[in-house]
Structure formats: structure tokens, C-alpha cells
Amino acid sequence: MIAYSSTTGFNTPYNTAPFSKIKADHYLPAFKKAIADAKAEIDAIVDNKMPPTFENTIEALDFSGEKLERISSIFFNLNSAETNETIQKIAQEVSPLLSEFSNDITLNEDLFKRVKAVYDSKTTLNLTTEQITLLDKKYKSFSRNGANLSKDKKEKLREIDKKLSKLKLKFGENVLAETNKFEMLITDEADLSGLPDGAKEAAKQLAESKEKEGWLFTLDYPSYIPFVTYADNRELRQKITVAAGAKAFKGDDLDNQNNVLQIANLRHQRANLLGYSTHAHFVLEERMAETPENVQKFLNELLEKAKPAAEREFKNLKSFAKDSDGIEQLQKWDGAYYSEKLKQKLFNLDDEKLKPYFKLENVINGSFKIAEKLFDLHFEEIDTIDKYHEDVLTYKVTNSKGDFIAIFYADYFPRPGKRNGAWMTVYKPQFVKNGENSRPHISIVCNFTKPTKTKPSLLTFNEVTTLFHEFGHALHGMLANTTYPSLSGTNVYWDFVELPSQIMENWCYEKEALELFATHYETGEVIPMDLVEKIKESATFHEGMQTLRQLSFGLLDMSWHGADPSHIKDVKAHETKAFENTKLYPDVAENCMSTAFSHIFQGGYSSGYYSYKWAEVLDADAFEYFKEKGIFNKAVAVKFKDNVLSKGGTENPMTLYKRFRGQEPKPEALLKRAGLLK
């Protein structure tokens, strides 16, 4: 076993995770030992003979279970980024144990009595704002998780939580297995017509790696997206699009329909048990949006603005496809293809023209330079710390005074044991203990096109914004400066967490920022300004359709979680009804989104998918402030760092936002940016 001390952590540089020394069979015993240790820490709080105080109860509770937290973060991050059957099996075994332990805390009557005693006397305690927030959060973590329930209802809650933890894991495993299972091997070069050279070369390399002749395409985004965007062969576009939409919806061992129904129903039962009308009522009590009614109102108001624009755009796209190729009925597998063609015609701009200016290493350095100009951060690549895969890059982050700020891991390429998409995660949070500011270890994980034999990794513009998005989350984690781990970094209201990530995307469209990193990988030439103008002009291309798509996901989420789901027997029929007001393309019978909607059925976005659009309102309004004063204006950047990035969840997010901006956010900035305001 690997030694871990609750005072000094791992005996490694910067207390980093010793990935190479951890073997799969270490995890289960480590989890069991860490759970036992954490229980002992809880018992010590409960058995304390002194009267309950903020320090001996609330603070002690927040700092308890640190070892368990570290082990969990290492294990579950690897289960997403570098998994295998053994790890998945351990996850199935460990998840119920963690669920049980979590319930052991929130359903511990004696512990709750101490927490409640402190909570009831809070007006007399002379606490700081952060301490009041922590006290409220701790009290609610008990009351919202069953502390006030009767004994039999507590047992019912435990059962539900155990089942949910297993179902969510199974859901994710099925989606990953389905993604990995599909392969489309092309042996006739004529079928590659329209595809960029880079996509062809990557497909050739993938086929060779699997000892196959030809070009291999999969459902991994760097393979799938270029194919549906550029391939002239409509039948093959249809084949791969239908496969992507049919994930876990085939009535076989990997089917998720029953998992979806069970998860939705168990969440509803859980909410009812705790005294809430629906799962959405439970979740949104701890969000800026507050209620399902507010979310529906927000989504419907945006829908009203976006739908006419989306219908106009779709009509134009249909006409374009008909005029170009005689397409009578535009289908889902035609959308990206004809959108790209129309975009090229209108703006003479396509990703293949842009990609040479976005070599991955240059984009990474660009994000670092922008963070340096805004927040005085310096990133130094180091090789003295352990990594879980050779592709992972590791950095030491310092400020302009040379103070150590964070460790940063970056993992950019797809591989079989890694789920699709992009995310930011934490290996160790920031907190202050015994007078020492313990700094965080932050990671971002993406799935970008790998370098080939002849070309470096060249990013599409969409991948550039994805990198900046995740880097924004990372900055939120790295610049954290709070006392308590549970309020640090991205531990904020869910509909506030996307503000730091989405605001960073804005710099990708600005000439001043692009000049820092967008240089041709062969000639070193800075991206021509006419291309920058075209990027900006095309930024709102099909914005109505994009907005409609995002809103459809938010509405689908609310349809599963904002009402009693017990009457739903048919997942597909329910989904079709939820999509009624946002539908543009004809339905594909073999496809269902819910069965692979990992954000809401496996990740933490249930009743929260609307938050992407909510955060867009915040980020458009916040970036407007930067634009008024200058996109690298130090005073505005310092206000953003001091009031948003460093504060974590220590105060109500609207309070923090207003302190930064001087006013509440206005949706007009988003509608203007999106070109949806007449």
C-alpha cells in the first residue's frame, strides 16, 4: 500500500498523486481503510464531550475524510480518463460503499444534533461570511439528505442512494462500451471524397493500429465530427450518424432505456421522501435559478427569441441543400455537412483553412499567455511529477512573485479507456489549514485530433474554444483562495460554475488575443486579420439553430426531472414529446438521446442542463465589461479574480457577480452577441 498522511499527504513532490505506484488491487483495501478512518474522525466529533462549537463541529466536519477524498478523486478521475474492466468492476463495488458512508454521515442523528445546535445559535457566534456559508451548507447537507426523516424513511433513502450510484455507473459504462464498439472501415478511397487530408490520415493510422486495411472511423469526436461535416458520401454519413444516435438504444445488453426510467423514478421518489415535489425542486433550491418554474420561464423566453431565427436558418439550409444537390428532405446526417458548405460559401471560411493556425502546442501556450496577462500566472512544464498516461502534460503554476499557485495536468487525446467529451477535474482541492494555504492540483481532459506522421495536432476552431472553456474551469480551481475545501474553487452553485469557463471562450474571437498564439505551424505567419474578421462574422452563423438545440437539451432534462416520471413507460415517446417545440429535422426511429445523455443521467447535470445558457447570459454580460475597458484591462481582471475566481462558493453567486460587475446580469448582452436581437 502507498503511505498517505492526513498532515503531509503523499510523500511526493508537491504532494501529487503517485499514479505509477498505484496498482488496481490497491484501490479496494485503500477505500475500505479510508472509509474506516473517516468514520473514526466523525465519531471523534460526535463523542467530543465539549459543547458543540463552530470549530469542533462544523470546521472539523469539513476537514474530515481528507484521505478518502484524495483516493476517490484519483480513482474516479481515472475511471473517466483511463479506465479498464478491472477499474469499472471496482467502481461498481466501491460506489455503494461510498453511498452508504455518505448516508452514515447525513443520517447520523447525534452528529446532526451537534450541527443543529451550532446552526440554531449562529446569530450569537460572530462568524465570518465564509463561516456562515459553510454552516448553512453543512446544515442543509443534513436536512436535504434526510436527517429529519423517521428511521424507516432513512433506511428507504439509503436503499435509493445505493441503487442510484450503481445505475449511474452502469449507464456510463454502457455508453462507453457502445462508443468503443462501433467501427466503420472504409476500403474504397472514393468513399473518402470531401474529407480533409488530416482526417484521412488519422483514419488510416487508426486502421493500421488495429491491423486493418483501409480507413477506420469511430464515434470518438475527432473521428466522427470531420466525417459528418465533410464526407460527400451521404449513405455513410447516415450510417455513422444513426450509429451515434442509437447508442444504448438497441434492446440488447448495453441498452440504457430501463436504466433511464429507473434513475428518473428513483430520483423522484428520493425528492418526495425529502419533502420536495420533484427532483428538480430539490436540485434547484441550491441554484441561482431557485425553482423549476424559473428555469422553464428562462428556457421558454429564450426559445421565443431563438425559434423564429432557427426556423429561418433551417429554411435557408434546406433551400441550399436542394439547390446544391437536389436534396428533397434534409436529414440529421445532412445538417453539419450542408451547414459547413453554406458557411464556406457565405464567409469563405472553413476549419481546414483555420487549422494550420491552431497547432495544439501554440493554443496551449496562448491560453497560458492570456492567463499571464490577465491574472499574472506563469506555467512551467515539469517532469518531476507522476502522470497516469504518457500523453498527459504536467505544469507547475506560479504567480508573478514566484509563489506556488497550483499543479496543472492536461490530457488532450482520445484513447479506448477514456470517455468522450471534455471536462475539468480536481485531484486535490485548495484550503487553509493550520495557517498553511494548501494549493490545488487541477486537471483538464479533452479529446482532440492526435498528431499524425506528417502533421502535428491541428485544432478546429471549435476545439480551440473547447480548450479555452476547460481552461477557464481550471483557472477557477487554480486561483481558489478560501479556507474550507468544500467551498473552494468550482464548489459553487451549478448554474454559476460555467461562468469562468464560458467567459474564457470570448478571447478566442479577439484580434489582440489571437495574435498571441494563432500562427501558421509551417510558416510562423500570424493568422491574417481577414480570417479573424470572418471568425467573428461567422460566430453567430446558425446561432438560432444552435440555441434551439441547447434549449432542447435543457427542456428534455426538465421533462425527466421537473414532473413525476412514474407514468413514463416509453423513453423514446417521452423524448419525442419533450422535443416537440424545438424540432427541426425529421425524427430517426432508431435514435434516442436520453439513453446516452450522460450529462444528466451519469454526470451532475440533472435539472441543471439549462445552466449552460444561464451562464451564457452571465458570460456575455461580464465580457461586455471587459470589452468596454479593454480585453486585457488589469483592473477588470483583478475584480474578476478577486470576486469570482478566488471566492469559490463562499458567498451567494449573485452577490459575487454584482460585486464584480456593479449590477445584475442583463440577457440583452447575450441576445446581442448571438445576433438574436433585431
Side-chain angles (χ1 to χ4, degrees), residues 358-368 370 393 395 408 410-413 421-424 443-448 457 459-475 500-502 504-505 508 517:
F358 295 124
K359 181 180 166 184
L360 175 61
E361 290 76 3
N362 294 347
V363 179
I364 295 167
N365 288 334
S367 66
F368 292 167
I370 288 165
L393 304 172
Y395 300 88
F408 178 51
D411 178 359
Y412 291 116
F413 303 122
W423 61 96
M424 166 269 185
S443 171
I444 64 172
V445 187
C446 304
N447 281 279
F448 296 147
S457 174
L459 305 189
T460 64
F461 188 69
N462 192 33
E463 288 175 327
V464 174
T465 57
T466 297
L467 191 150
F468 270 73
H469 179 101
E470 299 309 332
F471 186 63
H473 280 311
L475 289 171
S501 55
Q502 289 183 187
M504 284 309 293
E505 293 181 37
C508 301
F517 66 91

Side-chain angles (χ1 to χ4, degrees), residues 61 382 425 475 584 672:
L61 190 53
I382 55 172
T425 193
L475 289 171
L584 294 172
K672 194 170 104 187

Side-chain angles (χ1 to χ4, degrees), residues 182-203:
F182 177 85
E183 291 185 346
M184 185 168 77
L185 184 68
I186 291 175
T187 50
D188 182 352
E189 195 162 356
D191 288 334
L192 303 174
S193 165
L195 281 170
D197 291 341
K200 288 193 267 194
E201 193 180 354

